[in-house]
Amino acid sequence: MTASTAHALVKSSCDNTFYPELLCSTITSHPEVTKKMKSQKNVIELAVNITKTVVEKNYFQIKKLSTRKGLTPLEIGALHDCLEMAAETLEELTEVEKDQEEYHTKKSLQQHANDLKTLMSSTITDQETCLDGFSHGGASFNLWVRVFFGRWLNGGR
C-alpha cells in the first residue's frame, strides 16, 4: 500500500472520532503505517497499540515520580490519582484488544470503532484530569511540569 493510500484510509477512519486530528497525526506518524494499513480494522488495532504503549510509558513515569522524597501530601495524592487512572485505562485497553480478536463473532467493526471512540475520549479525559490535579491546591509546579512533559513527550499527544 502506498503512503498516500494508507494516509487516506487513516484519514477516513479518523473523521468520525472525537479527536480526528489527534488520532490521524498519531497514526500517520507511526513508522509502519504503510505496512500495517489495509483496512479500518488495522487503523483501530494500531490506534489501540499506540495508545497502550503511551499509557504504559506514562504510568511508569508517574510511578517513578511518585517515589521521590519530599513530595507534599497533595502531590502524593495527585500522583496516586494519575496512577489509578492510567491503570484503569490499561485494563480497558486490554479488554478492547481481547474484543478485537473476537470481533467477527461478537461485535461488528462499527461496534469496535464506537468502543474505541469512547475509550480514547476517556483516555484523554483521564489525562486532563490527572494534570488538573496538579493545578489546584498548591501542588508543585516542577512536579506538574515533569508529569505533563513526561506524558506529552514520551509518546503522548
Side-chain angles (χ1 to χ4, degrees), residues 90-139:
L90 288 171
E91 288 175 18
E92 291 170 352
L93 287 166
T94 299
E95 285 300 313
V96 170
E97 287 175 329
K98 287 178 187 173
D99 285 350
Q100 283 177 324
E101 293 170 8
E102 303 171 342
Y103 96 91
H104 280 299
T105 59
K106 291 189 176 181
K107 291 183 180 178
S108 69
L109 184 60
Q110 186 60 46
Q111 287 171 314
H112 280 289
N114 288 338
D115 289 350
L116 181 61
K117 186 176 174 180
T118 301
L119 177 65
M120 295 305 212
S121 178
S122 173
T123 300
I124 291 169
T125 300
D126 285 350
Q127 180 169 314
E128 290 170 355
T129 301
C130 170
L131 296 175
D132 283 347
F134 291 95
S135 64
H136 304 292

Side-chain angles (χ1 to χ4, degrees), residues 54 57-58 145-157:
V54 169
K57 286 179 181 180
N58 293 339
V145 167
R146 290 189 67 183
V147 170
F148 179 79
F149 284 107
R151 285 179 158 252
W152 292 78
L153 295 179
N154 285 328
R157 299 281 183 245

Side-chain angles (χ1 to χ4, degrees), residues 60-74:
F60 290 113
Q61 172 71 15
I62 294 166
K63 191 170 186 173
K64 182 179 172 183
L65 287 172
S66 69
T67 63
R68 289 182 53 193
K69 294 184 181 190
L71 296 174
T72 68
L74 288 170

Side-chain angles (χ1 to χ4, degrees), residues 12-31:
S12 69
S13 299
C14 296
D15 282 344
N16 192 31
T17 67
F18 293 125
Y19 302 94
E21 297 84 18
L22 175 61
L23 186 57
C24 282
S25 67
T26 301
I27 293 174
T28 57
S29 66
H30 193 275

Side-chain angles (χ1 to χ4, degrees), residues 1 11 15 17 40-41 45 68 70:
M1 178 173 283
K11 172 127 178 49
D15 282 344
T17 67
Q40 187 180 30
K41 182 178 186 279
E45 288 171 345
R68 289 182 53 193

Side-chain angles (χ1 to χ4, degrees), residues 31-73:
E32 297 183 17
V33 69
T34 55
K35 295 177 190 173
K36 294 190 175 204
M37 293 303 111
K38 294 180 174 74
S39 69
Q40 187 180 30
K41 182 178 186 279
N42 299 127
V43 175
I44 293 169
E45 288 171 345
L46 187 56
V48 171
N49 291 339
I50 291 170
T51 303
K52 190 169 184 179
T53 299
V54 169
V55 173
E56 285 172 342
K57 286 179 181 180
N58 293 339
Y59 177 87
F60 290 113
Q61 172 71 15
I62 294 166
K63 191 170 186 173
K64 182 179 172 183
L65 287 172
S66 69
T67 63
R68 289 182 53 193
K69 294 184 181 190
L71 296 174
T72 68

